[in-house]
């Protein structure tokens, strides 16, 4: 990694940010511009948007939740499935009228979709009112890109190539004040055959442990109570660094920071999930009893086609080890239904695996072909309707498992973090093992740890009452 180069690049961005402060102020009639940022996709994108917001605030912008009021609108996009892309196109289409009524409005698109040439081309051709397009690889240069777009008055597309660098010290504005994301690595090297992420996020690279720990310490100091370490495959953390810190040890070091907080992480790849990691989770009360371990499919033949590099047996071994070591563990997972060439019998192996592991919850996806991935070229004879039927079957199996799991929690008491208002008089709180509990309590409790006894389970919705003293 070339630290001097990254420091120099960011210094230039700081200087441009100062210039932009005046330029934007004047452009919007001697007032602070209002900026709206909408995020699609995964937590990695949420974390990127927090950087974009941090940079916008440094340029003198005020953030707004109302896009009709905004002077600058940015959509941070996701390319993982066709549906995600369609939503972006639909929402960008709706901005046309807004731009017409407010010509000074600056519309920008960034994120994973923009790293695909065919998408960037389509946006340029079909959405002439979009003034700025930039990909994930150049996010650190956002001030410069915005400056160029504003001062040239021309439309600007910047995609750049992955330079493999990590830019430390980009300003950041976190959305939450007690729950926060902490990126420990970027990119992905796994090239699962269905997945666009390595194509749009570049090669895997890890932040230095001292940078991660410094940020974690500052989050704890600022009052964060729930910190999630983020990466596409956290289990391979440290690859390429000249340190012997692996993910399990990094996690332990974060948990060792003094303070009343808890730490979780995502995503774990089963091929690299180690017993050392599970042991460290089991030994450290601050590490949440939650393991998101995507299995994708229960058939070894399909797993091979997916290039997942583990077998069903290996998956079950690590899942069972985790369950045996960590009482009350929540295992969650991602699953793809209808991978090209998957047969109904192979899909039934997925159902069997779900029944055997008994996941707390599942993120379920019907396979979506992505341009540029190798699976997009595989023969795919099963119709979408048929795949949707399989999905219906899977959801029924999972609903029963989730309902049983929730019913088993009734009568027990858990330490929860009170997170938000669900509706009038009702708050949502989260257990350490990532299950939401509805509580009747005043909003002043949001952001605090409480003890809650589960009083009722309605399918997979839990209700509870606070048992510690809070008045
Ligand atoms: N890095 C994570 C997942 C990132 S993408 C991991 O390896 O587990 C999140 C999820 O989207 C994946 O786990 C997969 O289940 C799903 N997904 C990715 N590409 C997909 C595609 N082309 N069609 C359907 N689902 C997909
Ligand atoms: Fe995609 Fe596989 Fe990388 Fe996850 S590990 S981001 S599914 S290529
Ligand atoms: Fe989507 Fe990019 Fe995340 S493709 S899932 S936002 S890494």
């Amino acid at each position: 990694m070339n630290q001097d180069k990254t420091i120099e690049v960011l210094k230039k961005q700081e200087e441009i940010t100062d210039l932009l402060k005046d330029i934007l102020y004047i452009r919007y009639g001697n007032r602070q511009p209002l900026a709206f940022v909408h995020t699609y996709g995964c937590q990695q994108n949420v974390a990127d948007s927090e950087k974009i917001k941090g940079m916008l605030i440094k340029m003198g912008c005020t953030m707004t939740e109302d896009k009709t009021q905004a002077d600058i609108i940015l959509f941070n996009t996701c390319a993982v499935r066709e549906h995600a892309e369609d939503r972006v196109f639909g929402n960008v289409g709706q901005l046309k009228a807004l731009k017409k009524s407010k010509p000074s409005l600056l519309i920008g698109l960034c994120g994973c979709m923009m790293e695909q040439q065919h998408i960037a081309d389509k946006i340029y051709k079909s959405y002439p009112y979009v003034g700025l397009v930039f990909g994930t690889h150049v996010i650190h240069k956002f001030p410069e890109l915005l400056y160029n777009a504003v001062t040239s008055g021309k439309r600007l597309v910047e995609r750049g190539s992955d330079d493999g660098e990590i830019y430390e010290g980009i300003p950041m504005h976190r959305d939450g004040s007690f729950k926060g994301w902490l990126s420990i690595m970027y990119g992905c090297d796994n090239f699962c055959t269905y997945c666009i992420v390595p194509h749009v996020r570049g090669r895997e690279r890890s932040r230095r442990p001292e940078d991660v720990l410094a940020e974690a310490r500052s989050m704890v100091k600022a009052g964060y109570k729930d910190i999630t370490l983020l990466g596409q495959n956290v289990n391979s953390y440290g690859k390429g660094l000249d340190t012997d810190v692996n993910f399990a040890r990094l996690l332990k070091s974060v948990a060792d920071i003094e303070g009343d907080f808890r730490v979780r992480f995502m995503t774990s790849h089963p091929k690299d999930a180690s017993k050392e990691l599970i042991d460290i989770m089991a030994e450290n009360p601050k590490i949440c009893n939650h393991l998101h371990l995507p299995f994708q499919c229960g058939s070894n033949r399909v797993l091979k086609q997916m290039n997942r590099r583990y077998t069903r047996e290996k998956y079950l071994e690590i899942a069972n080890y985790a369950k045996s070591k960590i009482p009350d563990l929540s295992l969650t997972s991602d699953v793809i239904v209808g991978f090209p060439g998957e047969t109904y019998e192979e899909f039934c192996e997925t159902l069997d695996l779900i029944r055997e592991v008994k996941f707390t919850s599942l993120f379920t996806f019907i396979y979506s072909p992505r341009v540029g991935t190798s699976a997009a070229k595989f023969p795919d004879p099963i119709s979408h309707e048929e795949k949707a039927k399989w999905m219906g079957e899977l959801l029924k199996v999972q609903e029963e498992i989730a309902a049983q799991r929730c019913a088993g929690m009734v009568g027990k008491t858990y330490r929860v973090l009170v997170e938000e208002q669900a509706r009038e008089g009702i708050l949502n709180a989260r257990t350490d093992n990532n299950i939401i509990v509805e509580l009747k309590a005043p909003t002043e409790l949001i952001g605090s740890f409480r003890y809650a006894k589960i009083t009722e389970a309605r399918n997979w919705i839990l209700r509870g009452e606070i048992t510690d003293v809070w008045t």
Side-chain angles (χ1 to χ4, degrees):
M1 206 189 306
N2 185 345
Q3 250 181 295
D4 289 347
K5 188 191 129 198
T6 59
I7 291 171
E8 205 178 295
V9 171
L10 289 188
K11 207 161 162 259
K12 182 173 170 198
Q13 301 311 307
E14 261 177 49
E15 288 161 15
I16 295 176
T17 298
D18 281 344
L19 293 177
L20 269 171
K21 223 176 180 171
D22 292 338
I23 292 171
L24 292 176
Y25 191 80
I26 293 164
R27 177 183 161 106
Y28 292 106
N30 293 337
R31 62 171 176 81
Q32 287 202 317
L34 291 170
F36 170 92
V37 176
H38 185 74
T39 312
Y40 300 81
C42 68
Q43 280 74 23
Q44 207 88 71
N45 251 19
V46 174
D48 279 356
S49 288
E50 292 182 338
K51 286 185 185 153
I52 291 173
K53 288 177 198 172
M55 290 186 265
L56 283 165
I57 289 169
K58 287 259 175 205
M59 292 168 200
C61 294
T62 304
M63 301 309 300
T64 172
E65 298 289 308
D66 178 2
K67 62 173 170 290
T68 63
Q69 297 295 316
D71 302 302
I72 299 171
I73 293 181
L74 279 170
F75 285 172
N76 190 9
T77 63
C78 168
V80 80
R81 283 169 293 275
E82 194 179 352
H83 178 66
E85 294 193 338
D86 287 346
R87 271 177 51 217
V88 171
F89 284 124
N91 292 347
V92 176
Q94 286 175 8
L95 296 180
K96 189 177 178 179
L98 209 56
K99 172 76 182 172
K100 211 169 169 196
S101 67
K102 195 200 269 186
S104 67
L105 174 65
L106 206 141
I107 299 173
L109 300 180
C110 59
C112 295
M113 268 172 87
M114 303 307 133
E115 283 299 341
Q116 303 175 97
Q117 182 73 51
H118 69 283
I119 298 280
D121 290 348
K122 178 171 169 176
I123 297 281
Y124 199 78
K125 269 198 216 112
S126 313
Y127 301 86
Y129 48 91
V130 172
L132 175 61
V133 168
F134 62 100
T136 58
H137 302 324
V138 287
I139 193 169
H140 55 277
K141 278 187 5 192
F142 172 56
E144 188 176 341
L145 303 176
L146 190 68
Y147 176 88
N148 291 343
V150 169
T151 54
S152 72
K154 290 192 188 130
R155 302 176 69 203
L156 200 126
V157 179
E158 177 111 1
R159 293 187 28 252
S161 58
D162 169 23
D163 64 4
E165 302 289 358
I166 291 184
Y167 291 85
E168 292 290 350
I170 298 177
M172 184 183 288
H173 175 74
R174 288 201 156 86
D175 292 335
S177 56
F178 57 88
K179 239 185 111 171
W181 314 108
L182 202 179
S183 294
I184 62 165
M185 59 206 291
Y186 305 97
C188 178
D189 282 350
N190 287 316
F191 288 96
C192 302
T193 55
Y194 51 81
C195 186
I196 195 72
V197 173
H199 304 264
V200 294
R201 284 269 168 190
R203 298 292 56 77
E204 181 182 299
R205 51 211 180 267
S206 297
R207 292 178 71 191
R208 291 176 313 175
E210 56 270 34
D211 291 331
V212 173
L213 285 172
E215 190 169 340
R217 269 189 221 105
S218 76
M219 288 175 80
V220 172
K221 208 169 155 206
Y224 282 85
K225 300 256 182 326
D226 190 303
I227 298 173
T228 304
L229 307 184
L230 277 185
Q232 291 299 346
N233 174 14
V234 291
N235 303 110
S236 66
Y237 173 83
K239 212 169 69 182
L241 289 181
D242 49 3
T243 156
D244 58 356
V245 178
N246 63 13
F247 178 63
R249 272 167 260 154
L250 179 79
L251 181 63
K252 184 176 176 334
S253 310
V254 173
D256 283 344
I257 295 171
E258 221 169 283
D260 188 16
F261 70 98
R262 60 194 190 187
V263 54
R264 42 182 97 243
F265 54 93
M266 67 190 301
T267 294
S268 278
H269 195 302
K271 83 178 164 65
D272 302 310
S274 65
K275 290 192 172 160
E276 183 192 9
L277 170 68
I278 307 294
D279 294 342
I280 281 179
M281 286 176 75
E283 284 157 17
N284 283 275
K286 278 192 201 157
I287 304 175
C288 291
N289 295 339
H290 174 212
L291 184 60
H292 183 62
L293 194 65
F295 71 94
Q296 311 297 1
C297 178
S299 146
N300 281 336
R301 189 197 68 83
V302 177
L303 283 172
K304 197 147 195 224
Q305 290 288 303
M306 289 177 161
N307 190 32
R308 288 291 286 179
R309 286 177 281 173
Y310 54 84
T311 59
R312 171 194 180 94
E313 292 72 26
K314 163 91 202 291
Y315 184 89
L316 287 171
E317 188 192 326
I318 192 83
N320 288 331
Y321 183 75
K323 284 205 287 192
S324 72
K325 281 278 178 163
I326 306 171
D328 247 338
L329 175 74
S330 262
L331 255 170
T332 58
S333 198
D334 294 350
V335 47
I336 296 178
V337 169
F339 183 78
E342 185 180 5
T343 65
Y344 183 69
E345 288 67 34
E346 286 165 337
F347 163 70
C348 288
E349 292 187 62
T350 291
L351 291 185
D352 278 350
L353 190 140
I354 292 172
R355 287 195 191 97
E356 186 169 344
V357 178
K358 295 198 169 51
F359 294 99
T360 308
S361 61
L362 286 178
F363 296 91
T364 57
F365 310 105
I366 291 181
Y367 169 74
S368 170
R370 306 284 64 215
V371 175
T373 61
S374 43
K377 294 179 214 102
F378 297 171
D380 190 3
I382 306 286
S383 69
H384 189 82
E385 289 68 38
E386 189 64 16
K387 292 180 184 182
K389 253 197 247 162
W390 297 2
M391 177 61 94
E393 233 179 287
L394 187 156
L395 292 177
K396 240 173 112 191
V397 169
Q398 179 55 28
E399 274 170 22
E400 275 173 31
I401 293 169
Q404 275 173 17
R405 158 105 207 196
C406 286
M409 290 173 72
V410 175
K412 292 189 186 162
T413 298
Y414 295 85
R415 191 163 192 248
V416 296
L417 179 63
V418 186
E419 289 192 350
E420 60 187 0
Q421 182 158 28
R423 51 188 183 279
E424 195 57 42
I426 302 290
L427 305 183
N428 278 343
R430 192 180 296 268
T431 64
D432 156 307
N433 58 6
N434 210 37
I435 296 175
I436 302 283
V437 183
E438 290 188 352
L439 301 171
K440 225 184 239 169
T443 50
E444 294 83 74
L445 297 197
I446 291 176
S448 64
F449 283 118
R450 299 288 153 180
Y451 285 92
K453 183 176 176 181
I454 311 299
T455 51
E456 189 188 349
R458 282 202 188 166
N459 294 325
W460 52 95
I461 296 179
L462 290 176
R463 301 220 168 114
E465 57 193 30
I466 292 176
T467 57
D468 56 336
V469 180
W470 49 271
T471 47

